[in-house]
């Protein structure tokens, strides 16, 4: 059946409008860069995994900016989401437990660190996850970049999965993410000749190299290279960051992304 010129014109208008709407949708994995209708469409199209990046606002010695974890976990989450292909990334949770107020303990002894109580943190995680469940996400994944709250995240995940029993939704904390960034990365560095007293656990060579690989502007490299060896009083725990580099940091970043994507694909394959 032949279409009239009017019907052809109307059809062309609808096609053009659809193409414009599609072109305006940004190619992004970040939820906060989408409109609610764009998000709804992506979930309906199969993007039912949401990554919740958890950072921290804490000191990392005198040569690394306070938002280290927040920037790093966002970039890592982006790469992991892109590797998965069916995932989006939630806004970074930057307020986490970091010690007590009075007297100040742990990182709270250093200006700029922000802390919240453990129970408030857990409730924040649970509330965020329940929000995403309402919106149709089935795999709610927590990626915690800081070691101090890993047990809190485990408790929140256990509580969520208990309350979600019988539903399609599931909370996931892939141990590979933090393991690859800590013990796994330390082993990579040892094989390349770096010593444990350099690698460290916080603001040492490993930690600083990871940051140089993703956000070098957050590291004060001049003072880092030329300054004396730093210690606990400076906020550097068990390491020496002076030989840090983006090159060795990239080894750790690639390993974190590879191991986490692999683990999450296996975890969600049957869902």
């Amino acid at each position: 059946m032949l279409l009239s010129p009017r019907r052809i014109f109307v059809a062309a208008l609808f096609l053009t409008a659809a193409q414009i709407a599609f072109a305006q949708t940004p190619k992004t994995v970040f939820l906060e860069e989408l409109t609610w209708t764009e998000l709804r469409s992506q979930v309906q199209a199969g993007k039912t995994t949401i990554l919740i990046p958890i950072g921290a606002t804490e000191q990392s010695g005198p040569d690394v900016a306070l938002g280290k974890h927040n920037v790093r976990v966002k970039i890592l989450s982006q790469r992991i989401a892109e590797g998965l292909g069916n995932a989006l990334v939630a806004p970074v949770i930057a307020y986490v437990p970091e010690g007590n107020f009075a007297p100040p303990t742990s990182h709270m002894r250093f200006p700029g660190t922000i802390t919240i109580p453990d129970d408030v943190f857990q409730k924040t995680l649970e509330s965020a996850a329940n929000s995403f469940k309402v919106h149709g996400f089935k795999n709610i994944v927590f990626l915690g970049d800081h070691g101090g709250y890993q047990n809190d995240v485990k408790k929140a995940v256990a509580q969520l999965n208990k309350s979600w029993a019988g539903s399609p939704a599931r909370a996931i904390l892939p141990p590979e993410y933090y393991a690859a960034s800590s013990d796994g990365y330390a082993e990579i560095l040892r094989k390349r000749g770096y010593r444990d007293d350099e690698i460290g656990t916080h603001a040492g060579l490993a930690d600083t190299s990871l940051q140089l690989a993703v956000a070098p502007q957050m590291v004060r490299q001049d003072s880092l290279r030329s300054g004396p060896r730093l210690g606990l009083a400076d906020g550097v725990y068990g390491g020496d960051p002076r030989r840090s580099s983006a090159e060795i940091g990239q080894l750790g970043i690639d390993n974190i992304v590879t191991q986490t994507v692999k683990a999450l694909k296996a975890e969600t394959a049957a869902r």
Side-chain angles (χ1 to χ4, degrees):
M1 181 180 70
L2 294 177
L3 294 175
S4 68
R6 178 181 173 79
R7 288 185 176 181
I8 293 174
F9 176 72
V10 171
L13 281 179
F14 276 112
L15 178 60
T16 301
Q19 290 173 335
I20 292 173
F22 181 77
Q24 288 177 339
T25 302
K27 291 184 178 180
T28 181
V29 295
F30 294 115
L31 176 143
E32 56 197 326
E33 295 178 358
L34 299 170
T35 69
W36 76 265
T37 52
E38 291 166 348
L39 176 65
R40 179 184 61 187
S41 296
Q42 293 206 23
V43 172
Q44 290 172 346
K47 287 197 173 182
T48 55
T49 294
I50 185 78
L51 309 181
I52 302 179
I54 311 170
T57 306
E58 63 174 21
Q59 72 83 23
S60 288
D63 298 313
V64 181
L66 292 157
K68 171 195 76 180
H69 283 299
N70 301 326
V71 172
R72 189 160 76 202
V73 75
K74 183 173 183 178
I75 293 171
L76 283 165
S77 296
Q78 177 184 12
R79 289 192 53 186
I80 291 166
E82 291 169 348
L84 291 170
N86 68 336
L88 295 171
V89 179
V92 174
I93 295 176
Y95 293 67
V96 306
E98 290 284 5
N100 296 323
F101 302 114
T105 62
S106 188
H107 295 305
M108 283 300 295
R109 295 178 294 114
F110 300 86
T113 301
I114 302 171
T115 193
I116 63 173
D118 292 86
D119 61 336
V120 173
F121 176 61
Q122 291 176 38
K123 287 297 183 185
T124 299
L125 299 183
E126 291 171 22
S127 295
N130 278 307
S131 298
F132 292 125
K133 177 179 178 290
V134 167
H135 302 318
F137 289 98
K138 295 180 180 178
N139 303 307
I140 291 85
V141 181
F142 295 97
L143 300 178
D145 208 62
H146 172 48
Y149 50 60
Q150 295 294 320
N151 285 334
D152 288 329
V153 183
K154 289 178 183 177
K155 291 177 183 177
V157 166
Q159 178 58 39
L160 287 164
N161 285 328
K162 181 180 178 181
S163 65
W164 292 350
S167 79
R170 185 178 179 192
I172 301 170
L173 173 62
E176 291 79 5
Y177 179 88
Y178 189 70
S181 66
S182 53
D183 293 341
Y185 182 39
E187 186 58 30
I188 290 172
L189 293 174
R190 289 187 195 103
K191 289 179 179 177
R192 283 160 177 77
Y194 294 96
R195 308 182 310 272
D196 283 347
D197 65 346
E198 287 183 288
I199 294 170
T201 59
H202 176 81
L205 180 140
D207 201 7
T208 306
S209 293
L210 289 176
Q211 202 65 21
L212 284 170
V214 296
Q217 74 279 5
M218 300 186 77
V219 181
R220 311 298 183 250
Q221 296 189 55
D222 289 344
S223 59
L224 176 76
R225 310 290 182 201
S226 61
R229 176 158 185 164
L230 304 173
L232 290 175
D234 307 294
V236 178
Y237 298 171
D240 185 351
R242 289 178 293 181
R243 288 207 295 161
S244 303
S245 73
E247 289 73 25
I248 59 173
Q250 193 61 50
L251 297 174
I253 295 298
D254 291 342
N255 188 52
I256 296 166
V257 173
T258 299
Q259 296 300 323
T260 307
V261 169
K262 180 181 178 181
L264 287 174
K265 281 184 175 180
E267 179 85 14
T268 61
R271 308 196 76 243

